[in-house]
Amino acid sequence: MADKKPLLIFPTPGVATREPLGSGNSGIHLPDHERQKERIGRRWQTLKDTFEKEAISLSLKPEGFFTEYIVVFEVAGSIDEFYKAIKEVPGMFFLKEQLEEFEPDEDFYKGDNEKYKGRIFVSMVNKKSIDEIIRLWKIFEKNREATFDSGLAKFKDLFKKLKNVRPYSVEDRLEDTGMPQYLEGIREMGEDSVRFEVEFTYPESKQRRDIAFEEFRTLINEVGGSIIEGSKVDLMAIRYFACLADAPTSSFENITNQTSVRFLRASHVLYFRPPGQAKVCLQSYETFEFETELRAEEPFGDPFVALFDGLPLENHELLRGRLIVDDPDGFASKYIAGSRIHGTAVASTICHGDWNGEKQSLVRPIYARPVMHYNGFNGEEFPQDRLLIDLLHSAIVRMVKGTHQEAPIAPRVKVVNLSLGDGYRPFRKEMSSWAKFLDWATYEYNLLFIVSAGNFGDPIKFTIDPAEFRNPISAEGKHSFLDQMLRQDFNRKILSPAESINSLTVGALNKDMAEIDPSDPMFFARINLTDNHGYLAPYSRFGWGMNGAVKPDILMPGGRVFMRRVPADRGTDHVNLLFGPNGNDQPPGVLVASPGVEGKINHFSYQFGTTFSAAQTTHLAGNLMEILVQLNQESDPGQQIHESYFPVLVKALITHGANLGDYYSLFRDLIGEFPSVPNNQVKARTVAYTGYGEVNGARVLYCTAHRVTLIGVGELTWNESQSAHLFKFPLPASISSQVIQKKLVTTLAWFSPCNVWSNKYRIAHLYLSNFRNNEDITLDDGMYDFKKTSRGTLQHQVYEGTRADAFIEGGFMIVKVNCRKDASDSELKFWKRIKYGLAVTLEIPDTLEVDIYEEIKAAIQTQVRT
């Protein structure tokens, strides 16, 4: 094995101005002025009449507060910062902007009759503001290019691009919430009452919010429903105002705008949702006892890592002395012996990794905060009498900030593991409140959340002639299965809150460290569908993220899973496959600590799921932070990295080890056969399934003589004079003018504040230049689509080249980190500082008899002295 050498730290960067980014053209055909007048003109009065009828239906006084209603504007293309124009109209306030894809028609179309992107703007209006919009429309009607009053010019863009204007409906309040499926389950169980979450609009005045809340209470009381006391949450940071409520199941019989149930049409309700869902219920759960004594050094120091999950079995032999369990809600009282399953398994994986493999236990204890309790048949779940956002918010504040009465419990925590997801909220187009909250909390409290992508557990229809199906599966059959799995991406979207842009989202590899003998009779009926290309686990979910950002970000081992065949109807063209059971007391799987029967403290089990791929990522994060602590101890004060940069630098470093490797061509070829994917989009589409690929942890923990990693941190603003940093990466003259394979890996991570009113959402956009065009090293195009890598808060690229580049003594390559404002927000000024972490690696073949590490290290020391 090559000698391990410590990571190197970039010297302090120079300050510069950012490089401009190009902008695209939507290319959408819009109707001419006369046609738009004909299409839209009459709709304003229709809208006004509809609202007046609704006021009568809800028995609201015409002069009262609740003559406010929600209006929907469907727009072709986009209108930047439209919410600012809405603020200028008295009685009108903005609610949300949502990306949408529209079918072409005779008035709006793009190219060869293809779908085109647009926006849906949702706003609150009253009679006065509707009259003002109609006044502006009449000005536009007379003259398409008329001058509007200051601040209102964007309404002219709205009128030109407006496809439709309509009232917000009951159907809108339920779209993409999972509520219809949740109600179906409630009915199947024969429940007479249903508990659900109500998310309200967010008027800026607290008095108006209170009035809206009381009005809804009145309406739901009409049907015998009620609001759960103590469940009201008002979080201005993400415009979140919600409560939990109960209502008769029968009140949801008609969930259309024709319903006679008035609370479903309450004018200040944005959404009805299922309450926070993250049930963990393992029906067939088997464990086995340790056969050897466990030996691991006792942890010490303050925790850097936190676990928000179920209650772990803290006196388990693998966990004793390794957890600081903080349970202010008293969830422990609701657990019975042997039921602390999920938290114990995740805590074990964070502390030790996969116990099958080489042990590298964390040296610090873990702060464990239970956010679930045990509920008998339902297993472990979130408490149903409290809003999830409220629970998480109080947990974070207690952990790192404290209150006036109490000091923070674990103020040095940098990374939080969240191996939980809402099965009712796959991400399709609108950010969940949970994800918005994590994005806000990341920036507000400087925390890295490591989130699981979510598990897909539905039966899989494998299209194949049932008569030809054989086990073991042929290589061709396994290839076909992967192809079909990728084509099912609509049903495999990542689960909330995995779409969070600031979090590190982890999908699963079908991989673990367990040893199995495939010839063992116990494996006879188990079907292994991904052995030869065992990359994506068949249970792992796919992306995209917000605005097409890369999600999941990375893949880590989640445990292998076998499948079993279940009967299908005669004459079908497929076989039905179900997951497991693996048999938790037998491999394969990630080996974890488990509560045995009656809470025995020396049991293990084998598990699989994105739960464990996220936990293994957090394990790596804990070890990386110890590396950074050690680097600081060995560095001069001027080169030390302050702990406040650890969260964002760890995010960059973990991703820095990601690579698709040999599997890139496999996925590229499969996706290239999709009829819906043009050839020029194959590279972009690949990362929706794989993220940046499998993480090789060893590559980011240390350097070698032939692989050199430099790390850097900083803060930027979008003020022009402080909007870029210049880092100098020394180029080794020892390989100058040689025809050798060179690999350059660049990774930039940051935490962005977010504007929940804007579809752009991300306020701070940091970016690296495309090194394909640099003047120092000749490189091929990067492995990942450059535009796609720029849409989140994590930009990663792998370049390769073989040209004989000439490097002069003392030469260097410029690495420029740029910062610009993306989504606007008047509350965040240009001087707001954005922390970032940077990692850059140069690698050459280890067969060369040169030591570029020492050469680059010496050049770095020269920069520092200068």
Side-chain angles (χ1 to χ4, degrees), residues 682-703:
V682 171
K683 181 186 288 190
R685 189 67 175 271
T686 300
V687 290
Y689 303 102
T690 64
Y692 291 120
E694 178 178 4
V695 173
N696 182 338
R699 290 183 59 87
V700 296
L701 291 171
Y702 58 87
C703 302

Side-chain angles (χ1 to χ4, degrees), residues 301-321:
D302 297 327
F304 277 176
V305 170
L307 167 65
F308 288 1
D309 207 283
L311 182 70
L313 187 64
E314 58 190 300
N315 63 337
H316 191 284
E317 290 187 1
L318 262 189
L319 300 178
R320 188 180 297 135

Side-chain angles (χ1 to χ4, degrees), residues 52 92 134 151 185 243 246 268 325 429 479 585 666 714 759 814 844:
E52 289 174 355
M92 192 175 186
I134 293 175
C243 71
D246 285 339
H268 274 261
V325 177
K429 56 186 176 183
H479 191 276
D585 59 345
L666 169 67
N759 188 70
I814 291 292
I844 61 173

Side-chain angles (χ1 to χ4, degrees), residues 55 238 263 323 359 507 580 597 636 681-682 707 761 816-817:
I238 59 172
F263 82 79
L323 303 179
K359 315 298 186 294
V597 179
D636 295 333
Q681 290 296 309
V682 171
R707 187 185 73 240
Y761 185 65
K816 188 173 186 179
V817 182

